[in-house]
Amino acid sequence: MPQEIEPKWQNIWAESGVMKASDGSEKPKYYDLVMYPYPSGDLTVGHARNYVMGDVLARMKRMQGYEVLHPFGWDAFGLPAENAAMKRGGVHPRDWTLNNIAKGKRELKMMGILYDWDREVISCDPDYYRWTQALFLLMLERGLAYRAMAPVNWCPVDKTVLANEQVINGRCWRHPDVEVEKRDLEQWFLKITDYAERLLDDIALLDKWPQKVRVMQTNWIGRSMGAEVDFPVDGMPGESIRIYTTRPDTLFGATFMVLAPEHPLVERVTTEKHRARVRDYAEKARKETEIERLSTEREKAGVATGGFAINPLNGEKIPIWVADYVLMTYGTGAIMAVPAHDERDFEFATRYDLPIREVIAPPSGPQRVLREAYVGPGVMVSSGEFNGLDSTVAFERICDWLEKKGIGKRAIKYRLRDWLISRQRYWGAPIPVVYCPVHGIVPVPVDQLPVELPPEYKPLSEQPNWYRTKCPIGGEDARRETDTMDTFIDSSWYFLRYASPHDDHEAFDSELVNHWMPVDQYTGGVEHAILHLLYSRFFTKVLYDAGMVAMTEPFMRLFNQGMVKRFGQVMSKSAGNGVSIDELAGAQGADAGRIYEMFIGPPEEDVEWTEAGLNGVVKFLQRVWRLVLEPESIVAEKGAPSVRVEPTVLRRKVAQTVGKVTEHYDELRFNTAVAFLMELANTMQGYLQGGGTRDAEWDSAVRTLLKLLNPLAPHVAEEMWQHMGEKGLLADASWPAYDAAAAAEPKVVLVVQVGGKLRDRLDVDAGLSEAEAMQAALASEKVRAALNGRGPSKVIYVPDRLINLVP
RNA sequence: GUCGGCGUGGCGGAAUGGCAGACGCGCCAGCCUUAGGAGCUGGUGCCCGAAAGGGCGUGGAGGUUCAAAUCCUCUCGCCGACACCA
C-alpha cells in the first residue's frame, strides 16, 4: 500500500467537492459538528481522535444519502496567543494564531479528514467578530447586557477578571495552582439568570445528551424552592431583614439569625457595645480569599451584633449574628438559623452555645438529646397551630400563612449567576460601546462594526489613538470601552455562522440557520460540559426570543469523547507529551492512524496512548488489501487449515456486519465497529482458505466490506475500489442496506413452561424479535394445547443454539 | 460530605438477562525464509489431568430468575463533578 495514495485521494476529493454542503439540496440534512479548537500549535493525536470520529460519521451519512454539513473553525481569540507573544517578544498574537491555524489545517487534511473549508470560521477574523459584537449589541438592546460594580474574580497571573465558571475550587481554570482574588470593578455582565428556569427546564429535551452532562448542568443552575420571609428588627420600627429559606416548615425552630458580613444592614443592627468587634470581623472576612471562605473544613465562626429580630411566626426575640458562612451572593445574604434541622446552623449554635429547638420529630419520635441536626421530614412539634402536621404539608400551609399575612412569599432561587464577560485583554473582540460625557453608554451602531482591534499589540487602555473617539450620537469627544469580550462569547454562536459564513450584512441568515440547525451530532470534550454548552444554549434561547432562529436548543445529540493521555497526563504540546498528527500519519499512513485512533479504546473513555497495537491495524489493512486484490494468494497459502467457511456462513456474516457496523458507527462506538470489520475479514479469509469460490457472492462481500471500511480508512478503500475497476468515487457510493433476513440466525425456539416444568417447544420464524416470537407462540394451537387452558405461568424465549441449557 | 460513573485474562477491552473473555496486543509452538525484531498457521482465563474430561471463574457478601458481568440490597476499592447555595 504505497503512501502516495493519500495525497492522490485527498486531491481527488478536494476537486470533486464531496465535502461541500449544498444549501439547496433535496436530500435530508445532517449537521455533524465537532467543537472548534483553540489553535495552540501542533494538533495532537488527541485532537485527531475527536475529528476522526466526526469524519467517520460524516462519511457514512453522506453514503447514506444525507446532505452533510461538516464544517470546521478556530476559537482563535484568547490568552495563550498573548502569552506566546510575550514569551517570544515581537510576535503579534494574530501572526502566532494564524500561523498555527495554517499548520493545523495542513495536519487535518493529512489525516484525510474532510471539512467544507469554504465555511471555515475564525473567531479573530474581523468578518467574524464584527458579528460577535453585533450579537452583544442585541443583548444590550434586549436588556440582557449591563454594567455593574461587583466583586469579581481576579486572576493575578492573567491579570484579568474571570467568570464564575472559570473559577475552579477557588482557583483560576487556566492556572490550577493560582488562587483567585476578589476585586471590586465595574464590568459588563450578561443576564443569563433571566434564562435560568428555561435553561433548566429544557434539559428535559436533551434526551440524547450524556446523563452526566445533564446532571452537571442541572446542578450548576441549581434551582431551590422555598420562601422569603421578613423578620422585623427589634426596636427599629419599619425595618426588617429578609431571609430566604428552603425550609419554611422549620420557621418555629429559628433561634437566631445570621447575616453575611457584607450585608447592608449589619451596621444598623449592631449595638455600640459590639460595633468594634463586628467591624473588625467584617473587615477580615472581606479580605479572605474565596477559597478560604468556601472551605467546609473550617469551623464556623462569627460574632454577635447585639441586635435582635422578631420571628414573625411566634413573635419570639432572637439574636442577630454575623458569620461568613452566609454568602451575600446567594439568596438574600441573610438566613434564619434553625440549628435543630440544619447541619451548619447546628455546628454554629453548638460552638456559641445558642439555643436549639426541635420542631420536626423524626419518624422514630422526638429526640431526647440532639446530637446532630435532623434534616429529614417528620411531624411538626412546638410549632403552634401547625403541630401534628406532616412537615411536607406544613411547608405549604406556612407559605400560605406567610402570603396571607404579607410577611413572606414563596420564592425560587438559582445558584447560577450572571455571566461576567469583560476581559482586560488585548486579544479578544472589543466590546462595541462608547462612553460619552453627555449620552452615557452609547452602543456603536451596527453599520459601524466591527470595532476593529488596533494593529499594535498593547493593552487597549494604553492606546489613546484608538480609544479616543466621537460619540456616535452627538459627536462629542468620547472614549471607547477598552475591555474585550470573554472568548466564550465567540464560541456561543459559531455553529450558527457555519450556515452562512460569508453573509456580510448579518451575523447569520435565519433561513439557512433554520435549515441546518439544530446540530444533529455534536462531538467534543467533556471539559465543556458546563461553560460552553450552557452559554451556547443561552445564546440560542435569546436568539429564539428575538425571532432570529426557530429552535430553542442548539444541539440535539451530544457526545463527549475521552481524552488521550500519555504518561498519565492529558496530551498537550506544553506538557511535552504530545504526539503530533505528523508522527501518526507518517508512521504507517493516515488510514492505519485513523483506525488505530478508533480502535484504541471506547470513544467516551480516556485512553493511554501507546503504539503497541498500531501494528495490528496495519496487518488488518494489509489483509483486506490481499482479500480484495490478491485473493488467489490466500488460497495458495501453505499450512492453511482445512476448516471450511460455508457460503451461507459467509453470507450471513456479511449481512450481520452491515447491521452491526452501521449501528455502531451511528452510536459512535467505533472500537467495536472496527472489531466487526476485523471479524468479517477473518471470516472472508477463512472462506477462501477453506476453498470457497470467488463467485458473484464473494464479489458482493468484497464490495460491502470496502463500503463499510470506507469511513474509517478512506484512502485505502478508495484505492482498492478503483483497482477493482469501479467507476466513480467510493465516497459517492451508496451505503449497503441491512438485510435482516439474511443476517438472522437459522431459527429460534420457544420453550413454554408451566409450573416450572418444560411443556413444549415450538419452532418459530427466523428473524422475529423476542416479543414477536412470544406473541406468535401464545397464538399457536400447539402451545395452547400444551398449556391445557390454564394459561402460562411462564413463557420463555430461548435462541435455538441455547435450547440444551434449559432444564 | 453530596451526586454521578466504573471494578471482567498478562494488557487494551467485548458481551439486547441467554455458550463470559469478541476484536486486538502480548506470549507459546510450528511453518517459512533460515538474518531476523518481517510474514503465515495453530494455541493461549485459572486449577487438576498425558489425554478425554472435570472443577473454579466478571472486587466481596447476599437476593430475584429456568438463566446474572448485566437486575435488586449491602459492602470494599478506584475515578470524576460539585462542595457552607440557607
Side-chain angles (χ1 to χ4, degrees), chain A residues 12-26:
Chain A
I12 292 175
W13 294 325
E15 281 158 25
S16 71
V18 277
M19 72 289 277
K20 289 198 171 64
S22 160
D23 293 324
S25 172
E26 295 287 305

Side-chain angles (χ1 to χ4, degrees), chain A residues 633-675:
Chain A
S633 74
I634 293 174
V635 186
E637 200 71 58
K638 271 192 260 176
S642 52
V643 235
R644 264 185 90 79
V645 173
E646 299 296 332
T648 52
V649 172
L650 174 65
R651 189 177 177 188
R652 194 186 315 147
K653 189 73 183 176
V654 171
Q656 287 174 342
T657 306
V658 170
K660 285 177 176 171
V661 170
T662 306
E663 185 187 332
H664 284 231
Y665 278 167
D666 232 324
E667 292 170 7
L668 310 177
R669 294 161 67 189
F670 300 110
N671 56 329
T672 45
V674 174

Side-chain angles (χ1 to χ4, degrees), chain A residues 165-176:
Chain A
E165 291 82 352
Q166 293 163 343
V167 179
I168 296 154
N169 290 334
R171 294 159 195 272
C172 174
W173 69 304
R174 308 190 57 86
H175 309 282

Side-chain angles (χ1 to χ4, degrees), chain A residues 156-186:
Chain A
V157 173
D158 289 343
K159 297 198 174 20
T160 189
V161 154
L162 300 172
N164 271 319
E165 291 82 352
Q166 293 163 343
V167 179
I168 296 154
N169 290 334
R171 294 159 195 272
C172 174
W173 69 304
R174 308 190 57 86
H175 309 282
D177 45 349
V178 173
E179 280 187 15
V180 166
E181 296 169 7
K182 285 281 172 194
R183 290 201 177 182
D184 274 326
L185 282 177
E186 191 162 20

